[in-house]
């Protein structure tokens, strides 16, 4: 039906969504900024690549391994830095360093094959597989947000001191959100590795981290569907504007500025696309005679 | 020290750099009593609250709650022991609804599910623990909103409430933590005399209904004089006077501190 090019773009949109949905829980819902999430993506990508290529394990084992190693790494850097409760900027700075350190580590390890990277990876990231994983991730994320754990996250974002005084362990809430986002990043990285089928350290640099955070902010701080839509937009910009590579960043910048000016709280703000929301929208449009009448009275 | 002392402060000092915001304060709050801390602006009243709730650690001195030394405990531990507070500069979860603000405090003591259940068992269109718990919490939270008289705003965002009602929501959220000691930092700030009178009655009613000991900071003298069993006056971080409202009202030192404070302003 579609050309493989289109399927490719769709796949990129989907794994980027997986990564930014996790980051949305961390940044959008818990209020912390990370400038090193590409490092978690890298850990996932390399773990999965090594498990499937070097150890010849099945793809799903690689994905689980990716989730575990990224998660573990997040606890190792999150535990000491997130304990400074009122200074979440310490964490942000640490993530920046962590991102750089991860690149250097990957360039120097033998198992990661240094700067040359790992090639010849299996073509496992079929759009259907990725779609199934995306749906599971979205479902779990929604469950996270609409539970007491999501509510605790939002309260920490809104006011960490008041959250403490509501008996909430701020450090634990932040660490949990970081763990969740790192696991999503790891899974996204695993999919990425087996989509692109060749990985090297320079693919996971800080501009990539910044882009993920920009997508979350642009999509809406406090939305899951918003960042997904933004992920698609930001994936498609360079595809649509295939003029010249260096103009890509300009286009990103322009889109970001436009979003910040037109919708300061992100494309979707704190809202979600839901089935009920769609129904209400259709009803509103109908009332304004923008959509033809159905022959039935429109109830309030 | 026994169960009839709710709170005991002993030689409390807090220095910020060179400035001693609070210096060698000691007092006791009897169980079931309503006690007021008064003093001019910048006297160190809010700092006392921040020390009790461990937002800051004291430079010197100890804090006892129902006989237990709570100095140096984590804020959330102190809350779990039974101390709740409100803030002078209102601190609500602004983007959450009014009822969610209360639920956040409410589901702390008795969670009905764990993380794994929350993430992996909440299927759409199927009834489960999580959905059931949410419904129960909402019913429970409504009771607290009713108690402070803001039930009709349950589904508005906290930031959309008028100022006076935001203060009431803070009280409702504090009550939802099921405390035995309630700390109120200027609950009547920004209220007119009529609203202040209403709030005075509300605090009295709530203290009785929930069996609370109350420690409050307030500049509205009619509220303080009407409501408090006992007053503790501080000035420039130091103890100035202590006693019943009648005694304090006629204490020349207190009058001077306040008049001096006014003249400075
Ligand atoms: N975190 C801080 N760092 C430095 N100084 C502080 C800090 N918190 C309070 N202070 C200082 O401590 C003193 C007491 O402040 P505090 O807020 O306790 O006064 P207050 O009695 O509550 O005054 P008000 O009636 O205006 O609320 C002030 O001089 C204030 O500037
Ligand atoms: Mg104060």
């Amino acid at each position: 039906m579609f050309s493989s090019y289109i399927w490719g773009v769709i796949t990129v949109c989907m794994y980027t969504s997986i990564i930014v949905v996790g980051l949305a829980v961390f940044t959008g819902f818990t209020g912390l900024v990370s400038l090193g999430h590409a490092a978690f993506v890298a850990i996932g990508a390399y773990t999965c690549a090594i498990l499937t290529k070097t150890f010849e394990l099945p793809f799903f084992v690689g994905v689980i391994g990716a989730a575990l190693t990224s998660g573990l790494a997040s606890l190792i850097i999150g535990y000491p830095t997130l304990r400074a409760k009122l200074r979440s900027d310490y964490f942000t700075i640490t993530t920046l360093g962590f991102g750089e350190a991860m690149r250097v580590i990957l360039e120097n390890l033998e198992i990661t094959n240094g700067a040359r990277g790992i090639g010849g990876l299996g073509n496992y990231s079929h759009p259907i597989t990725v779609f199934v994983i995306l749906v599971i991730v979205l479902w779990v994320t929604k469950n996270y947000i609409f539970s007491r754990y999501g509510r605790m996250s939002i309260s920490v974002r809104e006011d960490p001191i008041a959250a403490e005084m509501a008996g909430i362990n701020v450090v634990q809430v932040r660490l949990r959100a970081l763990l969740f986002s790192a696991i999503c990043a790891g899974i996204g990285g695993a999919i990425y590795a087996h989509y692109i089928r060749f990985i090297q350290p320079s693919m996971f640099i800080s501009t990539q981290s910044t882009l993920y955070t920009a997508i979350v902010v642009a999509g809406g701080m406090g939305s899951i569907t918003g960042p997904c839509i933004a992920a698609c937009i930001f994936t498609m910009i360079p595809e649509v504007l295939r003029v010249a590579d260096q103009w890509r960043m300009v286009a990103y910048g322009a889109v970001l500025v436009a979003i910040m000016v037109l919708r300061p709280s992100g494309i979707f703000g704190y809202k979600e696309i839901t089935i009920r929301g769609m129904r209400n929208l259709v009803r509103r449009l109908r009332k304004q005679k923008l959509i033809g009448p159905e022959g039935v009275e429109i109830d309030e | 020290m026994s169960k009839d002392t709710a709170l005991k402060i002993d030689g409390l000092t807090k220095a910020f750099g060179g400035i001693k915001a609070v210096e060698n304060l000691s007092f006791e709050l009897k169980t079931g009593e309503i006690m007021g801390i008064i003093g001019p602006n910048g006297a160190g009243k809010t700092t006392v609250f921040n020390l009790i709730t461990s937002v800051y650690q004291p430079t010197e001195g100890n804090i006892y709650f129902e006989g237990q030394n709570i100095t140096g405990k984590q804020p959330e531990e102190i809350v779990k022991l039974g101390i709740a507070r409100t803030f002078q500069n209102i601190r609500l979860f602004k983007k959450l609804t009014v009822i969610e603000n209360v639920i956040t405090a409410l589901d702390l003591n008795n969670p009905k599910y764990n993380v794994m259940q929350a993430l992996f068992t909440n299927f759409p269109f199927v009834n489960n623990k999580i959905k059931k718990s949410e419904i129960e919490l909402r019913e429970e939270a409504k009771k607290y909103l009713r108690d402070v008289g803001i039930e009709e705003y349950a589904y508005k965002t906290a930031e959309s409430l008028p100022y006076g009602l935001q203060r009431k929501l803070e009280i409702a959220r504090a009550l939802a933590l099921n405390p035995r000691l309630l700390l109120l930092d200027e609950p009547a700030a920004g209220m007119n005399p009529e609203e202040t009178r209403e709030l005075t009655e509300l605090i009295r009613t709530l203290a009785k209904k929930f069996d609370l000991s109350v420690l409050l900071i307030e500049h509205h003298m009619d509220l303080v004089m009407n409501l408090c069993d006992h007053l503790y006056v501080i000035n420039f971080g130091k103890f100035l006077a202590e006693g019943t409202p009648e005694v304090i009202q006629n204490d020349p030192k207190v009058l001077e501190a306040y008049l001096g404070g006014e003249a400075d302003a």
Side-chain angles (χ1 to χ4, degrees), chain B residues 16 21 40-47 56 88 186 219:
Chain B
F16 292 109
N41 287 115
K45 306 179 295 293
T46 300
T47 304
Y56 303 141
Q88 180 174 352
E186 304 202 16
H219 286 294

Side-chain angles (χ1 to χ4, degrees), chain B:
Chain B
M1 260 177 306
S2 63
K3 277 278 169 190
D4 48 58
T5 308
L7 181 75
K8 184 181 149 140
I9 300 295
D10 187 21
L12 206 60
T13 299
K14 176 68 187 177
F16 292 109
I19 307 160
K20 283 189 174 159
V22 162
E23 194 172 351
N24 197 21
L25 297 185
S26 300
F27 62 81
E28 269 183 41
L29 167 61
K30 295 215 174 60
T31 303
E33 211 178 47
I34 299 182
M35 178 171 169
I37 301 183
I38 61 171
N41 287 115
K45 306 179 295 293
T46 300
T47 304
V48 171
F49 273 23
N50 285 337
L51 291 169
I52 295 171
T53 53
S54 221
V55 174
Y56 303 141
Q57 296 307 315
T59 312
E60 265 172 68
N62 286 298
I63 301 156
Y64 302 88
F65 176 58
E66 296 177 342
Q68 183 186 356
N69 191 341
I70 58 166
T71 325
K73 282 197 190 301
Q74 288 298 312
E76 69 268 9
E77 292 179 280
I78 288 170
V79 172
K80 280 179 190 146
L81 285 173
I83 303 181
R85 75 176 280 187
T86 66
F87 297 88
Q88 180 174 352
N89 48 341
I90 302 175
R91 289 179 177 275
L92 288 169
F93 309 130
K94 297 198 189 89
K95 293 278 186 294
L96 286 176
T97 60
V98 167
I99 198 164
E100 281 171 326
N101 266 270
V102 176
I103 291 175
T104 304
L106 201 59
D107 79 343
L108 203 82
N109 289 320
N110 197 3
K112 297 284 184 342
Y113 54 87
N114 62 30
V115 189
M116 286 301 156
Q117 289 168 325
L119 293 185
F120 299 109
T121 67
N122 195 358
F123 293 95
F125 312 115
V126 183
N127 260 331
N128 54 45
K129 263 192 203 164
I130 293 106
K131 286 181 185 127
K132 196 159 145 255
S133 158
E134 288 298 306
I135 293 165
E136 285 170 4
L137 284 168
R138 225 172 295 153
E139 286 312 308
E140 185 78 16
K142 275 195 190 137
K143 286 189 207 154
Y144 291 94
L145 295 179
R146 218 171 292 143
D147 281 329
V148 301
I150 55 172
E151 198 194 356
E152 60 191 290
Y153 301 95
Y155 296 101
K156 299 249 185 300
T157 58
E159 64 184 349
S160 72
L161 287 193
Y163 196 70
L165 299 187
Q166 292 196 8
R167 292 218 172 270
K168 288 187 177 171
L169 175 53
E170 269 211 324
I171 294 176
R173 185 180 62 187
L175 290 173
L177 292 163
N178 196 17
R180 292 189 298 288
L181 170 62
L182 182 62
L183 313 177
L184 301 172
D185 196 344
E186 304 202 16
M191 288 187 181
N192 64 33
E194 177 55 37
E195 289 168 328
T196 307
R197 216 165 310 139
E198 192 204 326
L199 183 76
T200 310
E201 276 322 302
L202 180 66
I203 295 172
R204 208 196 307 273
T205 314
L206 294 175
K208 205 168 284 162
K209 177 168 179 185
F210 291 95
D211 249 331
L212 299 170
S213 313
V214 179
L215 184 61
L216 63 87
I217 296 172
E218 199 35 81
H219 286 294
H220 283 74
M221 279 308 140
D222 40 344
L223 180 146
V224 172
M225 296 300 161
N226 247 315
L227 191 58
C228 296
D229 305 303
H230 191 99
L231 291 180
Y232 189 82
V233 192
I234 57 181
N235 193 17
F236 297 115
K238 295 200 193 78
F239 168 77
L240 189 70
E242 180 171 16
T244 60
E246 292 74 39
V247 172
I248 294 300
Q249 225 161 359
N250 299 312
D251 188 319
K253 276 188 306 211
V254 175
L255 293 176
E256 198 208 338
Y258 266 88
L259 290 177
E262 301 276 273
D264 278 347

Side-chain angles (χ1 to χ4, degrees), chain A residues 5-6 9-10 12-13 228-242 248 252:
Chain A
Y5 168 72
I6 301 277
V9 174
I10 292 173
V12 178
C13 288
C228 286
I229 304 288
C232 298
I233 293 174
F234 278 74
T235 303
M236 285 190 279
I237 291 169
E239 300 300 330
V240 175
L241 300 171
R242 278 209 167 248
R248 232 167 53 161
Y252 281 148

Side-chain angles (χ1 to χ4, degrees), chain A:
Chain A
M1 174 169 70
F2 289 149
S3 69
S4 64
Y5 168 72
I6 301 277
W7 280 119
V9 174
I10 292 173
T11 309
V12 178
C13 288
M14 289 194 291
Y15 71 67
T16 310
S17 291
I18 291 172
I19 297 166
V20 298
V21 156
L23 191 57
V25 169
F26 185 67
T27 299
F29 286 91
T30 319
L32 293 154
V33 177
S34 162
L35 296 175
H37 254 60
F40 296 121
V41 178
I43 293 172
Y46 272 93
T47 305
C48 190
I50 292 166
L51 288 178
T52 57
K53 196 177 178 209
T54 315
F55 295 96
E56 295 178 345
L57 290 164
F59 180 54
F60 83 92
V61 177
V63 174
I64 293 169
L68 292 178
T69 47
S70 291
L72 184 67
S74 76
L75 293 181
I76 291 169
I77 73 147
Y79 185 72
T81 46
L82 290 174
R83 279 197 305 174
K85 278 184 292 212
L86 301 179
R87 297 297 307 271
S88 51
D89 42 347
Y90 289 168
F91 175 80
T92 304
I93 295 164
T94 310
T95 58
L96 200 60
F98 170 65
E100 282 308 298
M102 188 47 60
R103 189 178 53 84
V104 176
I105 291 170
L106 293 176
E107 277 174 3
N108 288 290
L109 284 182
E110 202 164 312
I111 194 166
T112 59
N113 202 22
R116 274 162 300 157
I118 304 176
L121 298 171
N123 183 14
Y124 303 137
S125 295
H126 301 292
I128 305 293
T129 317
V130 181
F131 180 73
V132 170
I133 297 175
L134 174 65
V135 168
I136 294 171
V137 167
L138 285 175
W139 173 65
V140 173
T141 308
K142 180 192 144 281
N143 285 348
Y144 190 125
I145 296 306
F146 291 96
S147 70
R148 58 190 300 263
Y149 302 97
R151 201 160 39 225
M152 283 195 257
S153 282
I154 299 172
S155 69
V156 168
R157 176 192 75 197
E158 291 293 302
D159 195 320
I161 292 186
E164 276 193 316
M165 284 305 135
I168 289 168
N169 185 333
V170 173
V171 180
Q172 196 181 56
V173 168
R174 286 178 170 164
L175 203 56
R176 196 187 287 129
L178 175 65
L179 176 64
F180 186 84
S181 71
I183 288 174
C184 290
I187 294 171
I191 296 169
Y192 173 69
H194 289 277
Y195 165 72
I196 213 96
R197 299 172 64 193
F198 163 70
I199 51 173
Q200 60 181 166
S202 62
M203 292 168 165
F204 308 97
I205 51 175
S206 63
T207 37
Q208 202 59 32
S209 299
T210 316
L211 178 64
Y212 295 138
T213 297
I215 290 174
V216 172
V217 175
M221 299 271 284
S223 172
I224 305 168
T225 41
C228 286
I229 304 288
C232 298
I233 293 174
F234 278 74
T235 303
M236 285 190 279
I237 291 169
E239 300 300 330
V240 175
L241 300 171
R242 278 209 167 248
V243 252
D245 198 43
Q246 63 265 39
W247 286 100
R248 232 167 53 161
M249 281 340 248
V250 178
Y252 281 148
V255 170
L256 259 184
V257 169
I259 290 169
M260 289 300 113
V261 170
L262 300 173
R263 314 257 347 195
S265 52
I267 304 174
F268 279 83
Y270 296 89
K271 299 206 173 60
E272 301 288 358
I273 306 178
T274 56
I275 296 179
R276 188 191 294 167
M278 301 278 229
R279 232 183 266 143
N280 285 345
L281 182 69
V282 169
R283 194 178 297 162
R284 252 198 341 256
L285 293 175
R286 235 179 238 151
K287 223 188 294 169
Q288 292 173 0
K289 302 257 182 332
L290 291 173
I291 297 181
E294 255 187 345
V296 200
E297 276 291 304
I298 300 148
D299 56 350
E300 260 306 77

